[in-house]
Amino acid sequence: MRWDSLFSDLEAQFSAERALEKESEIADRARIELAGIELADRLRGSAGTEIKIVMVDGDVIRGELGHVGSEWLVLTEGARQWLVPYTSVLSYQGLGRVSLRPSSRIQHTLGIASALRALSRDRSELVVHLKVRTGDGYKLHGVIDRVGRDHFDLAVVPHGEARRAGNVAAVMTVPFGSFAALCSAGSQDFRGGGN
């Protein structure tokens, strides 16, 4: 009789230890899985929702999260669209907990140069927001002429003017690390970038 009680108590202790080990293992797996989630995965999981970002230059942009590349995102704010490199964002508000891996290998490799080349082909008039102040402020108006590996050439034209040789005030070479964001000058969109 005493042995029954003793063995029952031993079984209960063993069962409790197993439950604690299992709970600890589940928590460890969850931490490991969470550690593997990238920002781009969280952004893809929040596509189509309204988010708010704070930029390195202090600007705040609220808009619907559209396309997500490996190094950039597109926000739609009213009639304007913004192409924003991840490195220009100080914080995000409104991201959900869902994360999605890239649906294809191509989507995973779409860097900032890919998006800029699409805009160059489209000849879209843009406003380039720089990370530091220039003589005219933080903004340059123009059309992307060429895109290199780590920079692009912007033909600076008056707002609303087409890119023609007689309208080009200057050609500015902008390193990728120097611009905070690109904004559509009108109602054009940035969907030509492929993502």
Side-chain angles (χ1 to χ4, degrees):
M1 192 78 156
R2 288 182 54 208
W3 284 14
D4 288 341
S5 175
L6 179 68
F7 291 132
S8 291
D9 186 44
L10 186 61
E11 286 176 3
Q13 287 177 10
F14 182 71
S15 235
E17 283 181 27
R18 297 277 301 202
L20 282 174
E21 284 177 10
K22 194 172 205 170
E23 195 173 297
S24 175
E25 181 181 337
I26 290 170
D28 285 346
R29 285 184 183 181
R31 279 191 291 274
I32 289 169
E33 186 176 315
L34 184 60
I37 295 174
E38 295 181 5
L39 176 60
D41 299 336
R42 294 269 315 273
L43 289 165
R44 274 188 289 279
S46 296
T49 63
E50 186 87 11
I51 67 168
K52 172 181 147 183
I53 60 174
V54 177
M55 305 287 293
V56 293
D57 62 2
D59 283 344
V60 174
I61 305 170
R62 287 178 180 82
E64 182 180 319
L65 179 59
H67 302 277
V68 178
S70 63
E71 303 169 334
W72 54 273
L73 60 91
V74 172
L75 278 182
T76 301
E77 177 190 44
R80 292 186 300 181
Q81 288 195 298
W82 294 83
L83 180 121
V84 183
Y86 298 156
T87 57
S88 296
V89 180
L90 295 178
S91 66
Y92 298 87
Q93 183 178 333
L95 295 185
R97 292 182 176 256
V98 174
S99 63
L100 295 175
R101 299 278 184 200
S103 59
S104 69
R105 191 173 188 159
I106 292 171
Q107 185 181 27
H108 184 69
T109 59
L110 285 177
I112 196 75
S114 300
L116 293 173
R117 284 187 185 101
L119 292 173
S120 174
R121 282 190 305 272
D122 190 48
R123 308 305 283 166
S124 298
E125 183 187 348
L126 307 169
V127 180
V128 178
H129 293 251
L130 300 174
K131 290 183 179 177
V132 295
R133 184 172 290 282
T134 64
D136 295 333
Y138 291 99
K139 302 172 189 172
L140 300 169
H141 292 264
V143 175
I144 297 176
D145 273 347
R146 301 180 328 161
V147 179
R149 183 175 181 181
D150 58 356
H151 67 282
F152 63 93
D153 289 344
L154 183 78
V156 178
V157 296
H159 180 59
E161 296 288 328
R163 196 267 184 244
R164 293 190 182 95
N167 294 348
V168 176
V171 175
M172 307 287 287
T173 300
V174 181
F176 291 171
S178 296
F179 79 94
L182 300 176
C183 177
S184 57
S187 61
Q188 304 108 335
D189 66 34
F190 292 161
R191 294 195 180 137
N195 188 7

